[in-house]
Amino acid sequence: MDKVFIISQREESHVDAIAAGIDLAKGLGKRAEIFAYSFEYFGSAEYYNTSFAAVAHKHIMKQREAKIEAELQELQAQEIPIHSVWSKDLSEHACNHSIRHGFDLMVKAVHHADHYLPVDWNLIRHIQIPLMLLTDNPLHKGNAVMMAVDLGNEKPIKKQLNESVIKHAKALAKATGCQLHLAFIIRVPKVLRDMDLINTSTLVKDAYKKHQQQLAQLELDPDCIHITIGEPDLCLYELSCRFKARYLVLGACQRRGILGFVIGNTVESIISRIRSNVLVIPADDCSS
């Protein structure tokens, strides 16, 4: 364990995942390894001339590896292993290889600042180790790590996920020198809020009182504890912007197969809005 699986960025990416991943690995006391994924379609030439395809594969992979070696030399990190992989399905290979070979963190750049690619969503849905998704946005220059926890959920799997989120958020804040914040969103339907059928201020005060002992154990500055009411995606977006969260740490309840694509996931709706770097902590067999 204690290994970081860094997926090298494509040329069109706006984030240097290699440099950022190496810095994270050093801060966390982990060993970094870089994975360079390549794949190209050659049309009928590949089908009719396998020797041509093999030569082309090798040439493309060598080119990518040479660029990475040059960057590592600039970073004075030539000792870091580089693995060249020819794969049509990056997410499938990365998910399987990372868990099979004892990695405990994956780092990947988000290629487009305003939206995620299908490969990113596939990683979020199937990864079995924490996944750091990096974006280039003004928020990422902030000095806060915000962890989203569900204090009011008594399900064992959700409680375990909360503990894991807290553990990784603390380690990340220490490694990056950021201030740690906690966000707990009490979900209340908008129609009830709009109709003034509930007293939201009372709900927040009651939540602070109910979870006082649990919050005290975290030893956070009171100004860094945020309990609010609303929809998780909107509230976390607002909080992350207000406090300039460089990283947002979330627990992900993953769903498999058709069901996951049909009913979606609260975490996915949050991630689609957030402009911070996101650390996704996976938990299997977790229902909403």
Side-chain angles (χ1 to χ4, degrees):
M1 302 297 283
D2 287 335
K3 295 194 297 182
V4 179
F5 189 112
I6 302 174
I7 299 176
S8 67
Q9 66 276 1
R10 294 283 188 173
E11 290 184 4
E12 65 272 18
S13 175
H14 60 287
V15 184
D16 189 342
I18 292 175
I22 291 173
D23 282 344
L24 274 173
K26 288 179 179 178
L28 293 167
K30 300 178 183 293
R31 293 182 291 112
E33 296 187 24
I34 298 169
F35 289 78
Y37 286 92
S38 302
F39 185 79
E40 296 289 346
Y41 285 103
F42 298 110
S44 58
E46 183 177 15
Y47 179 80
Y48 290 109
N49 192 335
T50 55
S51 60
F52 162 79
V55 171
H57 292 179
K58 189 174 181 180
H59 176 72
I60 291 171
M61 293 169 73
K62 276 192 171 184
Q63 279 189 322
R64 280 186 59 77
E65 191 170 331
K67 290 181 180 179
I68 295 171
E69 288 175 346
E71 180 173 359
L72 290 180
Q73 188 169 1
E74 290 182 7
L75 296 171
Q76 296 183 344
Q78 299 95 320
E79 75 284 356
I80 294 178
I82 303 171
H83 307 279
S84 295
V85 182
W86 187 270
S87 177
K88 182 180 179 181
D89 193 335
L90 182 157
S91 60
E92 181 179 1
H93 179 276
C95 288
N96 292 334
H97 191 90
S98 60
I99 193 66
R100 190 165 60 245
H101 293 276
F103 289 85
D104 52 12
L105 175 64
M106 183 177 293
V107 176
K108 181 185 181 298
V110 177
H111 291 299
H112 301 283
D114 56 345
H115 68 276
Y116 284 57
L117 296 177
V119 64
D120 300 317
W121 295 119
N122 283 332
L123 285 172
I124 292 167
R125 289 172 177 147
H126 300 287
I127 195 70
Q128 296 181 61
I129 63 173
L131 168 67
M132 174 69 79
L133 293 167
L134 302 169
T135 183
D136 185 15
N137 187 277
L139 284 179
H140 94 288
K141 298 179 177 66
N143 194 41
V145 170
M146 183 165 290
M147 55 182 177
V149 297
D150 187 359
L151 297 176
N153 201 307
E154 294 300 321
K155 293 182 180 179
I157 188 67
K158 289 292 185 74
K159 293 175 73 173
Q160 178 275 327
L161 188 54
N162 277 339
E163 293 173 0
S164 188
V165 166
I166 292 169
K167 171 187 171 184
H168 285 92
K170 283 185 173 181
L172 181 61
K174 182 178 179 181
T176 57
C178 291
Q179 187 177 45
L180 184 59
H181 290 248
L182 177 147
F184 171 37
I185 314 302
I186 303 173
R187 184 181 297 185
V188 174
K190 186 175 185 298
V191 62
L192 297 182
R193 302 198 306 272
D194 291 345
M195 294 173 66
D196 292 326
L197 296 178
I198 57 172
N199 188 321
T200 56
S201 296
T202 299
L203 279 180
V204 171
K205 289 179 181 178
D206 288 346
Y208 273 105
K209 185 176 180 181
K210 179 180 179 181
H211 304 293
Q212 182 178 9
Q213 184 176 358
Q214 186 178 359
L215 292 171
Q217 293 174 349
L218 297 175
E219 300 180 338
L220 294 177
D221 186 318
D223 291 337
C224 295
I225 298 174
H226 316 288
I227 299 180
T228 187
I229 291 176
E231 295 299 326
D233 54 346
L234 292 173
C235 290
L236 286 174
Y237 174 75
E238 189 275 332
L239 286 171
S240 65
C241 290
R242 190 198 315 172
F243 294 99
K244 292 181 171 60
R246 184 176 177 185
Y247 299 97
L248 177 65
V249 185
L250 298 167
C253 294
Q254 299 166 317
R255 297 186 175 92
R256 302 290 187 255
I258 297 298
L259 185 64
F261 289 95
V262 174
I263 64 178
N265 189 305
T266 300
V267 170
E268 293 185 14
S269 66
I270 293 170
I271 290 175
S272 65
R273 290 182 181 273
I274 293 299
R275 294 298 176 261
S276 306
N277 300 313
V278 179
L279 178 59
V280 181
I281 312 298
D284 291 329
D285 302 321
C286 184
S287 59
S288 298

